[in-house]
Amino acid sequence: MPPAISTHELTRRFDDLVAVNALSLDVQAGEVFGLLGPNGAGKTTTIKMLITLLPPTSGEASVAGHDIRHEPRLVRRSIGYVPQLLSSDGALSARENLMTSARLYHLPDADRTARIAEALEFMGLESSADRLVRTFSGGMVRRLEIAQAMLHRPEVLFLDEPTVGLDPTARKAVWGHIRELRQAEGTTILLTTHYMDEAAELCSRVGFMHLGKLVALGTPAELSEQAGKGKDLDDAFTYFTGSGLSETGEQGGQYRDVARTRRTARRLG
Amino acid sequence: MTSLERVERPAAWAEPPAAIRFVLDAWTIAEGELRKLRHDPTELLTRAVQPILWLLVFGQVMAQTRAISTGNLPYEDFLAPGILAQSALFSAIFFGIAVIWERDLGVLHKYLVSPAARSALVTGKALAGGLRALVQAAMVYIVALLIGVHLRLDPVSLVGVALVVVIGSAAFATFSLVIACLVRTRERFMGIGQILTMPLFFASSAIYPIAMMPGWLKVVAQVNPLTYQVDALRGLMVQGATENFPLALDFGVLIASTVVLIAIAARLYPRLAQ
């Protein structure tokens, strides 16, 4: 089986900053792969290139067997994406959000209603289906977003910090749903996260990015071990990406990133 | 692993041809926007207050002064189509702010990773911007009837007015979207929006005839799409009004502006999410 995601020397520059530097990576079908690293390491830029929102400066990549440069529409048909920010429309109800997705992906008419009902049930949102999403709690919004991203049964699902701003209970619930999805539908999942316990819990393999480069790749257990005896993934994070506190190493526009993350966290909370 | 076989992937579904997808996707976007208005019509209703004030206060006072020569046409009759165009413009020109808002939230990214063509997404937005203006049109008609404007109420004229309002507002909403893609932040957009509205409005025949303008302003007015919208509205809306241009030219200018602006916006729209 060909890899679900394959990149070769994938690079993205912003003026003189190299956000993603010659990234070569294969993610196998059915894997839950975690892309980890400090802010500004290039995780979100990598995802944006893979989901065709951002053209690469150089290098190649394919997702679900389609070239991201030359077949962007086929890539988009095959993927689901839950951004770090909010993606469900607060001014619409959960059902209307799902219906919009169903229509944009041209799900067959006959399947739409059943598929939406199924998605609502799977995410435990049946009783809130007709409420405006802006009245939802953070955990409910995330569940709806995942349902929306999975409605067309994508081959590859991209989750950018899926549990940022959620309380522990809501996080555990989202983890459970991610696992079930993988098992039930065999979806390949690529996620980014700052929570090492989350990565250790969910991911079959993880890669550490630092300053745009992939600096380590392996199972959570392997990488913890490389960091030293009796170490965990938190230690591995520090080991592979430096202290994480360097003042020069991080990407520009930090203040904006921070403002954004906090805003998202507040909205979801 | 049997579940893997069971799963139907999108590739297995027959998609409609590209042209039909374009229409369906544009309508999906437009309908979503209209649903939002139905859930919360506050903005729409507050927007409708403005034309009432212009017609009742500005119109009545200016009619008294007889400072603006409109021939045999009473000033209120001359003004009503102009105010309709103006109120539609003022609400369309700030349409882009919602798009920046969607970008800040992340909703925009969701639409851009869907397989819908960028041009279909933009067309849907434009259509929603156009249809919104029909509410304002209804409001202007009610007030105009109350103050005794001699409106043409035959079905052909009404349909004509509706078309002009929708196409014109779609053009200005798309213009707003283009600006939003260029300035990218709400703060800058608010400033630019204010700067753009006034010249568009005053360099048109909305509240005084082109004949009254100084030469240089006449030139500006003739390249301003709002002039053609007002011109078409005046001919279709009011009994005994004379148009400056043939109706076909008015429609031609409005449709061409919309198409060109949609093409530009479709190019710029994805850059918002980068």
Side-chain angles (χ1 to χ4, degrees):
Chain A
M1 219 172 172
I5 301 171
S6 177
T7 75
H8 180 69
E9 305 270 309
L10 191 65
T11 302
R12 174 69 206 201
R13 283 198 184 80
F14 295 101
D15 299 321
D16 49 356
L17 175 100
V18 188
V20 175
N21 194 348
L23 179 75
S24 295
L25 174 71
D26 280 348
V27 176
Q28 301 308 321
E31 245 189 308
V32 180
F33 186 90
L35 208 49
L36 315 176
N39 285 325
K43 308 180 300 279
T44 298
T45 306
T46 302
I47 288 195
K48 277 189 169 179
M49 287 192 280
L50 293 176
I51 63 177
T52 76
L53 284 188
L54 186 70
T57 311
S58 63
E60 280 140 46
S62 68
V63 174
H66 305 293
D67 188 291
I68 59 162
R69 281 170 188 270
H70 303 113
E71 306 169 300
R73 213 187 83 81
L74 294 177
V75 171
R76 284 184 219 131
R77 275 191 89 194
S78 323
I79 61 171
Y81 170 51
V82 179
Q84 203 172 341
L85 307 164
L86 290 179
S87 63
S88 289
D89 202 317
L92 295 173
S93 71
R95 200 187 299 282
E96 287 167 340
N97 267 291
L98 289 164
M99 191 42 109
T100 304
S101 287
R103 285 165 59 175
L104 288 180
Y105 286 88
H106 298 280
L107 297 198
D109 279 347
D111 292 0
R112 276 180 202 172
T113 321
R115 198 71 193 100
I116 289 172
E118 202 182 307
L120 286 166
E121 194 199 332
F122 184 71
M123 289 293 168
L125 294 168
E126 307 109 299
S127 57
S128 320
D130 296 306
R131 263 168 56 195
L132 292 190
V133 172
R134 74 162 82 93
T135 67
F136 278 22
S137 72
M140 288 166 78
V141 174
R142 267 301 181 240
R143 266 144 53 206
L144 172 63
E145 289 176 314
I146 295 172
Q148 217 178 328
M150 288 299 298
L151 203 62
H152 57 292
R153 302 192 198 272
E155 283 179 57
V156 185
L157 179 64
F158 293 89
L159 302 168
D160 199 356
E161 310 234 3
T163 63
V164 71
L166 297 186
D167 65 47
T169 320
R171 278 181 75 198
K172 294 251 163 62
V174 169
W175 291 358
H177 287 302
I178 292 174
R179 269 196 224 101
E180 280 174 51
L181 272 179
R182 205 199 69 76
Q183 270 165 14
E185 314 217 342
T187 314
T188 309
I189 297 173
L190 187 146
L191 62 86
T192 72
T193 179
H194 277 130
Y195 305 116
M196 291 306 114
D197 57 334
E198 182 164 296
E201 182 77 31
L202 289 175
C203 299
S204 43
R205 263 191 331 147
V206 297
F208 280 112
M209 282 189 82
H210 185 45
L211 301 177
K213 284 191 171 149
L214 189 68
V215 292
L217 187 67
T219 66
E222 282 165 9
L223 295 184
S224 306
E225 207 168 294
Q226 282 176 36
K229 244 192 161 30
K231 302 285 188 182
D232 62 14
L233 208 56
D234 266 324
D235 301 311
F237 183 95
T238 314
Y239 178 79
F240 287 110
T241 66
S243 69
L245 291 176
S246 82
E247 282 183 45
T248 48
E250 284 149 320
Q251 194 181 326
Q254 280 181 55
Y255 181 78
R256 199 169 155 218
D257 290 344
V258 173
R260 227 178 214 199
T261 315
R262 298 224 171 131
R263 228 170 29 227
T264 310
R266 199 165 57 233
R267 284 209 195 95
L268 284 172
Chain B
M1 289 311 267
T2 45
S3 62
L4 266 176
E5 264 76 50
R6 191 176 49 80
V7 171
E8 238 187 307
R9 299 295 183 195
W13 297 328
E15 279 188 314
I20 295 181
R21 276 205 316 266
F22 179 91
V23 175
L24 291 174
D25 292 348
W27 179 242
T28 299
I29 297 297
E31 207 226 331
E33 295 290 321
L34 298 179
R35 271 174 193 274
K36 286 188 223 170
L37 288 179
R38 218 169 49 212
H39 289 311
D40 184 6
T42 329
E43 192 215 335
L44 208 56
L45 295 176
T46 50
R47 293 264 184 218
V49 176
Q50 204 184 6
I52 301 177
L53 291 176
W54 275 86
L55 280 175
L56 288 183
V57 182
F58 181 83
Q60 304 274 311
V61 173
M62 291 309 278
Q64 294 295 322
T65 64
R66 298 179 201 283
I68 297 172
S69 153
T70 51
N72 293 328
L73 202 63
Y75 185 65
E76 288 95 335
D77 289 23
F78 176 86
L79 184 66
I83 293 308
L84 172 48
Q86 179 236 30
S87 60
L89 166 72
F90 279 26
S91 82
I93 211 77
F94 289 104
F95 192 69
I97 208 129
V99 175
I100 296 180
W101 178 242
E102 285 187 353
R103 192 275 313 269
D104 288 347
L105 282 174
V107 180
L108 172 74
H109 302 67
K110 178 112 225 161
Y111 290 118
L112 285 174
V113 295
S114 82
R118 273 75 170 115
S119 52
L121 298 176
V122 171
T123 305
K125 291 276 184 198
L127 187 59
L131 291 171
R132 272 154 52 111
L134 287 176
V135 177
Q136 289 165 315
M139 198 63 82
V140 169
Y141 265 76
I142 293 169
V143 179
L145 280 174
L146 290 177
I147 61 172
V149 172
H150 304 88
L151 291 172
R152 288 170 60 172
L153 295 169
D154 58 293
V156 177
S157 305
L158 289 176
V159 170
V161 167
L163 278 176
V164 173
V165 166
V166 171
I167 299 170
S169 296
F172 290 114
T174 315
F175 179 59
S176 173
L177 209 150
V178 168
I179 302 292
C181 294
L182 294 174
V183 304
R184 304 171 73 95
T185 71
R186 267 173 282 167
E187 294 76 7
R188 276 183 264 170
F189 186 93
M190 285 311 282
I192 301 232
Q194 305 282 11
I195 292 173
L196 288 173
T197 356
M198 289 305 160
L200 278 171
F201 177 42
F202 288 118
S204 80
S205 56
I207 54 175
Y208 33 68
I210 294 189
M212 283 180 73
M213 296 180 188
W216 65 271
L217 194 57
K218 274 185 192 157
V219 176
V220 179
Q222 290 194 349
V223 295
N224 182 355
L226 191 68
T227 299
Y228 297 88
Q229 192 187 5
V230 173
D231 193 58
L233 287 177
R234 206 159 269 150
L236 289 165
M237 219 173 131
V238 186
Q239 299 169 22
T242 46
E243 295 182 58
N244 291 317
F245 312 104
L247 195 58
L249 176 67
D250 295 331
F251 267 99
V253 169
L254 292 175
I255 292 171
S257 314
T258 312
V259 170
V260 169
L261 286 163
I262 285 177
I264 297 173
R267 292 296 294 256
L268 295 176
Y269 198 47
R271 286 190 9 196
L272 264 185
Q274 287 184 5

